[in-house]
Each structure stands twice: as C-alpha cells, then as structure tokens.
Amino acid sequence: ARFLVGAMYSNGIGVPHDHKEAVRWYRLAAEQAYAPAQNNLGLMYYEGQGVIQDYTAAREWLQLSARQDIPGAQFLLGWMYYKGQGVPYNYKKAAQWLRLAADQQLAVAQTNLGLMYLKGQGVPRDDKEAFKWFKLAAVQGEGIAQVNLGLIYLKGQGVPQDLTEADNWFWFAADQGVTAAQVKLAMMYEHGRGVLQDYVSAYMWYCLGTLQGNKIARERFDTMKKKMLPSQIEEAQELVREWLVKHRG
C-alpha cells in the first residue's frame, strides 16, 4: 500500500503531483525491503526528483533492489558503473549487471550489453554476441538496437552481409525517429543498396534527419535536391508531411 501511495504521488493519480511525498512513501516501503519501492527510490535519488540528486544513495537503494532481481534496478546500476556515477568506472561490473537485466528480457539492457560486446568493454569483443543481444532487443522494438542490427548486417560483422536485412532494420528504427537510422536508410535509397534506387524516399529520410539537427542529413539533403525534378521534390515533401502528422500529430 505504501508503494502504491508513492506511485500515486509520483504520477499525480488521484492526488496532487508531489515528488517529495512520493519519496516519503517510497522510503517507507523500501525500508520494509520491498524491491519495487527500493528501485523507485533509487531512481528518485538518481534523477534528483523530490530529493537532492545523490548518486551514492541511488546506488545503495538500486543495489538492494537489483539483488532482488528487479531488472530496471539491475540495468541502472550497470549504467552507473559504466558511467562512473557514484562508483568508480568499472566496465566489468557494468556488464555483469546489464547481463542480469538482459537475461530478464529488458530491451535497453540487451542493447547496451550488445554495445559492450561490439566495443569489447568489460567483456571480450565479440560481434556474434553483439548481434545476439541486438536482435533480442530489436524484436522488442528498441530503436537503438534496430539501427545497430542494421549496421551489423550492412558491414557483415559476425553474420553474412545482407543489405536487405540492413534496410529492414534501418526502416524500423527510422520510423521510430532514430536519426542515425533515418540517415543510413536515406543513403541506402540514394545509392540503391539493398533497395531500388529511390531519390524521393532518400529525400524524405534526409529531410526528417535534417529536422532533428543531423549535419550529415543536412548536407546530403542539399545535394539530393540538385538531383531531383520539382515533381519528385513535391512528392517527397508530401511524404515528409504525412510522416510528421502520423508520428507527431
């Protein structure tokens, strides 16, 4: 009950939105060793919501929760070791906590564990392991995993090169608004890699990347316009408008 009251204050459900009250109620539940409350209290300290930001206190509460197999706590604790927040940098410990969360199907943990395998941080560099974790996260809809999976297929890292698969995963991520994927997908369309060459689609994705401030997208966008007929540009602009309406309202 105490945890639920804290959640109500944290989200403003049936009571005024009040982070300080949320912290008070979460603490009462956390002190009774209730793992979800320990996780949420650790998160409040991590973000400085209702309390002064304190990475040390965040780590203490998250560790109590993580030891009770709360995947969100395991992930954030791993992230703190990765970033050196409240603890010394320790890639090995980061990977250990991320793996525990990843094994519980937490997509963001699977993505970051994949990145650690790709870079050889805290674990041996292993493209096949990176691919495995990216794929598990990507099928759950995790955009960063999807773009990295696309890059692996594009480069043939740990798997045979497959430009069609690369295009597919770039599209999934691009359609979620992942800028890096929008730029990569645009390049595939511009040069006809894994798809038929399509300047209209390339223009569309470069334009969307440009709207998010990507410099490469901006440069390619300007170049694309010089290659296209006015009718093609008009068609591409309509696709951009449709995408923005669909995704941003």
Side-chain angles (χ1 to χ4, degrees):
R2 292 168 176 173
F3 171 75
L4 292 177
V5 173
M8 290 171 69
Y9 275 111
S10 183
N11 296 287
I13 300 173
V15 293
H17 193 272
D18 190 328
H19 286 313
K20 289 185 178 180
E21 275 297 296
V23 167
R24 186 169 77 86
W25 286 100
Y26 283 149
R27 189 185 305 279
L28 289 170
E31 288 171 347
Q32 299 298 311
Y34 187 57
Q38 293 169 337
N39 175 65
N40 286 18
L41 185 57
L43 185 59
M44 301 292 268
Y45 273 111
Y46 182 82
E47 296 181 343
Q49 292 185 327
V51 290
I52 295 173
Q53 188 178 53
D54 185 338
Y55 287 146
T56 299
R59 177 187 58 78
E60 290 171 354
W61 286 111
L62 289 168
Q63 191 158 284
L64 290 171
S65 182
R67 286 173 176 167
Q68 295 191 65
D69 291 329
I70 300 298
Q74 293 168 336
F75 163 72
L76 189 50
L77 193 57
W79 183 250
M80 291 178 76
Y81 275 110
Y82 185 84
K83 300 293 286 185
Q85 296 173 324
V87 291
Y89 288 98
N90 191 321
Y91 287 154
K92 187 174 181 179
K93 284 188 176 181
Q96 289 170 347
W97 284 112
L98 289 176
R99 182 182 298 278
L100 290 172
D103 283 339
Q104 295 196 65
Q105 308 307 312
L106 188 65
V108 66
Q110 293 171 333
T111 299
N112 281 277
L113 186 58
L115 288 168
M116 294 189 79
Y117 273 109
L118 199 63
K119 299 173 184 177
Q121 295 175 323
V123 291
R125 191 181 186 284
D126 189 326
D127 290 341
K128 289 184 178 179
E129 276 293 300
F131 170 82
K132 181 186 84 172
W133 291 110
F134 287 147
K135 185 70 175 286
L136 288 169
V139 296
Q140 293 189 68
E142 216 288 321
I144 301 302
Q146 291 170 341
V147 70
N148 277 284
L149 193 58
L151 288 169
I152 280 181
Y153 275 118
L154 179 63
K155 298 173 183 177
Q157 287 181 280
V159 294
Q161 186 184 50
D162 189 328
L163 298 184
T164 301
E165 278 292 300
D167 283 317
N168 289 339
W169 289 110
F170 287 149
W171 185 90
F172 283 124
D175 199 49
Q176 289 193 65
V178 178
T179 311
Q182 292 174 338
V183 175
K184 284 294 182 183
L185 185 58
M187 289 178 174
M188 301 294 269
Y189 276 117
E190 181 183 0
H191 300 292
R193 300 196 69 195
V195 290
L196 292 175
Q197 189 177 56
D198 183 345
Y199 285 171
V200 171
S201 292
Y203 179 105
M204 168 196 167
W205 290 112
Y206 280 137
C207 182
L208 289 169
T210 298
L211 291 174
Q212 295 198 73
N214 186 280
K215 292 182 179 179
I216 296 174
R218 172 82 257 181
E219 292 170 1
R220 298 306 309 155
F221 176 66
D222 290 337
T223 301
M224 282 301 306
K225 288 191 290 187
K226 298 174 184 177
K227 300 180 179 181
M228 298 170 67
L229 298 171
S231 59
Q232 291 177 307
I233 292 175
E234 185 177 345
E235 181 184 355
Q237 289 173 339
E238 181 58 30
L239 291 175
V240 170
R241 284 191 289 269
E242 289 175 2
W243 190 94
L244 292 172
V245 168
K246 177 183 176 183
H247 292 80
R248 300 181 182 177

